[in-house]
Amino acid sequence: MQNFDYQTPTRLIFGEGVISKLPEVMKQFGKKILLTYGGGSIKKLGLYDKVKELLDGFEIFELSGIQPNPKYDPSVLDGVKICKENNIDVILAVGGGSVLDCSKAIAAGALYDGDPWDLISYKAVGKASLPIVDILTLAATGSEYDPGAVISRTETNDKIGYMDNNNYPKVSILDPTYTFTVSKKQTAAGCADAMNHIMEQYFCQDSTLLNDGFCEAGLKSLMVNARKCLENPEDYTARAEMMFDCTLGCNGIYSLGNSYSGWPCHGMEHALSAYYDITHGEGLAIITPRWMKHILNDKTVDRFVKYGVNVFGINADQDHFDIANQAIDATYKFFESINIPMHLRDVGIDESRIGEMAHHVAENEGLENAWVPLTEKDIAEILTDSL
Ligand code: NZQ
Ligand code: ZN
């Protein structure tokens, strides 16, 4: 078991109607709020009006239009400018992972004198960030309970996952009813994203029995509940369970004491969504079974056996490679069954830039240190298999 040093400073307020606590929550951080949101889903939900009504008496500035795969320019830069010019006290992020991530980069950039890209690209380390409160509307990334922010810079095809412990949200308000309106496409993609977060912690060299149990239960819960959410988008219990599965999925709690896996599927997917602006969870679902097939060998097979037997209930009394291959097929079929497009061509990606993307990943994502090390050639092969 590996050493660890763990603290999650985020207060989670979970359940239907918990938004009533918003004024009490915001009061502790100050009067001047930057309200951040995306392309308008929160207005359709009635959440925008609700927030404004509850925060009557606070001074509210706004940054809207934050896109999926949030962009450094203009969103992060605009947000930092508003914070600096108006001495903002606290950021209130209302939306999915993209809004939360963008808000984290803004929170750090607001208290940094130089170019905020220095922080995102690890050229500098932020000393502090503005406090962040969020109201989550999409279950997927776990950004509401982690210090990560994934920011894209279009002109350089960069999509960087940047970690800064100052960026843990102070408070996350999690009301599953706000996810009732999430489309089938985003619900399925959210499920695939959270499943992959768990897999990136499960498929590693050394793990504990406790963590294996957490991860296997998390994967099963996500599959069962995502199906229910797709069948009945207003199934409160399924939306609630899926939301909490996602919240815990990326926080690291499922892998305390495990050795680090290198998060290879995320490393590869970030290039796909940087170059082609695709939906993150769909990219992951496409890559994952191809990566599994690519790394299956004598050394890794038993991990796939455990996964197949405990997550998919595959009969353990068979040849280990047969079990592993059945587990990989079951993974593919699950994603396919929730209508995720399972080929890169289905999401508009052809072979023309695979070499370039593989090079970018090999240069920037450190996958030579992954559980099963991946070279540029391996990455190109996995992406080609995914076509
Ligand atoms: O922009 P609006 O109008 O809000 O619409 C959004 C967006 O179009 C919509 N949506 C959100 N809540 C909704 C809703 N539509 C109807 N009803 C609601 N209640 O859904 C679309 C996608 O939103 P987005 O925030 O992009 O999705 P998600 O939460 O999946 O976030 C994806 C981003 O998070 C990053 C990804 O790379 C991607 O950039 N990730 C962040 C992580 C982290 N911080 O730890 C980890 C992940 O691995 C991931 O990389
Ligand atoms: Zn992810």
Side-chain angles (χ1 to χ4, degrees):
M1 187 166 172
Q2 310 289 313
N3 296 358
F4 62 83
D5 179 341
Y6 175 77
Q7 183 179 27
T8 298
T10 305
R11 173 181 169 199
L12 299 179
I13 310 180
F14 187 97
E16 184 166 8
V18 293
I19 197 171
S20 61
K21 297 197 175 164
L22 187 63
E24 165 248 309
V25 163
M26 298 309 289
K27 226 182 325 175
Q28 46 185 326
F29 302 112
K31 275 266 163 204
K32 285 188 167 188
I33 298 172
L34 174 63
L35 169 64
T36 55
Y37 55 99
S41 67
I42 70 160
K43 290 194 172 164
K44 283 192 208 135
L45 258 176
L47 190 49
Y48 175 85
D49 289 339
K50 184 74 187 170
V51 165
K52 291 299 260 301
E53 180 197 314
L54 285 167
L55 297 182
D56 186 33
F58 288 81
E59 196 179 347
I60 300 183
F61 297 78
E62 291 189 22
L63 176 74
S64 61
I66 296 171
Q67 295 167 18
N69 302 322
K71 310 297 180 282
Y72 176 68
D73 188 2
S75 296
V76 174
L77 290 177
D78 286 354
V80 168
K81 191 158 176 267
I82 299 172
C83 289
K84 286 188 171 175
E85 285 178 0
N86 300 287
N87 292 317
I88 294 292
D89 296 316
V90 51
I91 299 179
L92 174 60
V94 186
S98 294
V99 173
L100 271 61
D101 284 7
C102 185
S103 303
K104 290 176 180 178
I106 294 169
L111 299 187
Y112 177 68
D113 282 339
D115 182 347
W117 190 254
D118 295 347
L119 302 172
I120 297 164
S121 58
Y122 293 104
K123 284 200 193 81
V125 179
K127 294 199 173 66
S129 297
L130 286 177
I132 301 163
V133 175
D134 65 79
I135 304 172
L136 188 70
T137 65
L138 196 163
T141 63
S143 186
E144 66 276 17
Y145 204 39
D146 75 27
V150 187
I151 303 295
S152 295
R153 193 160 187 176
T154 315
E155 69 275 20
T156 51
N157 293 315
D158 276 311
K159 179 169 179 177
I160 299 185
Y162 124 82
M163 311 291 277
D164 177 348
N165 283 345
N166 297 313
N167 287 344
Y168 273 104
K170 295 280 184 241
V171 183
S172 289
I173 293 179
L174 307 173
D175 182 334
T177 65
Y178 296 146
T179 66
F180 285 176
T181 53
V182 175
S183 66
K184 288 189 188 305
K185 173 188 164 83
Q186 291 294 340
T187 300
C191 168
D193 186 19
M195 283 179 67
N196 193 262
H197 295 159
I198 297 176
M199 291 178 195
E200 302 271 39
Q201 298 170 80
Y202 184 83
F203 287 102
C204 64
Q205 184 60 41
D206 300 313
S207 65
T208 68
L209 280 177
L210 179 68
N211 290 339
D212 286 354
F214 276 145
C215 290
E216 289 158 4
L219 290 168
K220 286 195 278 194
S221 173
L222 279 163
M223 288 192 282
V224 168
N225 286 301
R227 269 197 209 292
K228 290 185 180 170
C229 294
L230 291 168
E231 276 159 26
N232 176 9
E234 302 203 2
D235 179 336
Y236 178 82
T237 305
R239 287 288 192 190
E241 290 203 27
M242 182 172 165
M243 188 176 229
F244 196 48
D245 293 339
C246 293
T247 297
L248 292 185
C250 206
N251 162 276
I253 196 165
Y254 285 164
S255 53
L256 296 175
N258 283 10
S259 50
Y260 186 61
S261 76
W263 285 60
C265 293
H266 273 70
M268 289 183 276
E269 197 294 319
H270 283 167
L272 299 181
S273 43
Y275 280 69
Y276 290 93
D277 218 352
I278 65 166
T279 298
H280 172 65
E282 292 182 349
L284 288 171
I286 295 169
I287 288 176
T288 301
R290 278 72 181 213
W291 164 78
M292 289 175 160
K293 278 236 180 303
H294 192 88
I295 65 152
L296 177 60
N297 61 35
D298 287 339
K299 287 194 188 133
T300 62
V301 65
D302 286 345
R303 201 70 189 134
F304 286 99
V305 169
K306 186 163 194 193
Y307 167 72
V309 170
N310 291 346
V311 176
F312 290 102
I314 295 169
N315 174 10
D317 193 17
Q318 301 178 70
D319 171 74
H320 280 197
F321 275 91
D322 285 347
I323 298 172
N325 279 309
Q326 287 169 42
I328 296 170
D329 288 347
T331 308
Y332 183 98
K333 285 197 178 112
F334 171 72
F335 292 141
E336 194 178 43
S337 76
I338 56 170
N339 288 324
I340 295 186
M342 286 306 288
H343 293 271
L344 291 181
R345 289 189 203 284
D346 301 337
V347 295
I349 300 178
D350 62 15
E351 64 283 352
S352 60
R353 301 185 80 184
I354 282 187
E356 202 184 328
M357 289 193 289
H359 184 68
H360 189 95
V361 174
E363 291 281 296
N364 294 293
E365 297 288 345
L367 299 190
E368 70 278 11
N369 299 317
W371 172 46
V372 178
L374 298 179
T375 62
E376 185 173 329
K377 183 167 167 285
D378 293 310
I379 297 161
E381 282 172 14
I382 293 167
L383 296 181
T384 303
D385 284 346
S386 304
L387 281 169

